[in-house]
Amino acid sequence: QVQLVESGGDLVQPGGSLRLSCATSGSSLEHYHIAWFRQAPGKQREGVACISSKGDSTYYGDSVKGRFTISRDNAKNTVYLQMNSLKPEDTAVYSCAADLVFQCSAYETSNLWGDHWGQGTQVTVSS
C-alpha cells in the first residue's frame, strides 16, 4: 500500500521560495507517475506539475511554468516540488498523488487521476 506524506509548506513572502516533498516510507514509488495538485478555499483543484515514473517526462500548469520544478529521487521514494518566485495566488493546500497506470498527459484533465493521495501541506504567500 502506498502512503504519501507531504511536507515543506510554510508562510513565505511574495518572491520567496519553498521546496515541497512527497514521500513514502512504505511501498516504492518507482513505478508510479507522481503529480502535485493544489486547491485554494472556494476554488477548484488545479493540477500543478507531474513527473513520469522514470522521471523522463514532466508537465506543468500554465500558471506555474517557469517558476516551479518537479523532480524525483526514487532511491529515497521522494518527489519534490521546487517553487520559486512565489505569488499570493499560489496560496493553497498542495497535495501529491500517485498513479500506477495513468500517465502525466492526463493528470490535468481527468478527475480520476491518482490511485493514492497525501493529506496536503499548506502554502501561504503573503506580505
Side-chain angles (χ1 to χ4, degrees):
Q1 184 175 359
V2 175
Q3 296 173 291
L4 302 176
V5 179
E6 303 95 338
S7 62
D10 204 352
L11 170 65
V12 297
Q13 296 183 3
S17 298
L18 284 174
R19 188 180 73 162
L20 306 183
S21 297
C22 172
T24 178
S25 60
S27 300
S28 174
L29 294 179
E30 65 178 324
H31 298 302
Y32 288 85
H33 311 290
I34 307 294
W36 286 95
F37 299 85
R38 67 186 183 186
Q39 187 167 26
K43 297 183 179 180
Q44 294 184 342
R45 189 179 66 196
E46 175 187 16
V48 177
C50 188
I51 187 167
S52 63
S53 60
K54 296 181 179 180
D56 55 347
S57 298
T58 57
Y59 290 73
Y60 296 95
D62 290 341
S63 63
V64 307
K65 192 181 298 292
R67 299 187 298 120
F68 291 9
T69 302
I70 188 170
S71 62
R72 68 189 300 161
D73 186 341
N74 285 341
K76 296 181 178 180
N77 287 326
T78 303
V79 175
Y80 304 97
L81 184 68
Q82 179 66 47
M83 306 185 296
N84 299 325
S85 301
L86 284 163
K87 305 174 181 179
E89 51 263 44
D90 294 319
T91 296
V93 174
Y94 285 72
S95 302
C96 63
D99 201 292
L100 187 63
V101 177
F102 289 172
Q103 300 178 56
C104 287
S105 59
Y107 91 105
E108 284 186 296
T109 57
S110 175
N111 59 9
L112 299 178
W113 205 98
D115 298 320
H116 307 279
W117 290 78
Q119 294 185 329
T121 184
Q122 176 70 48
V123 173
T124 302
V125 185
S126 176
S127 59

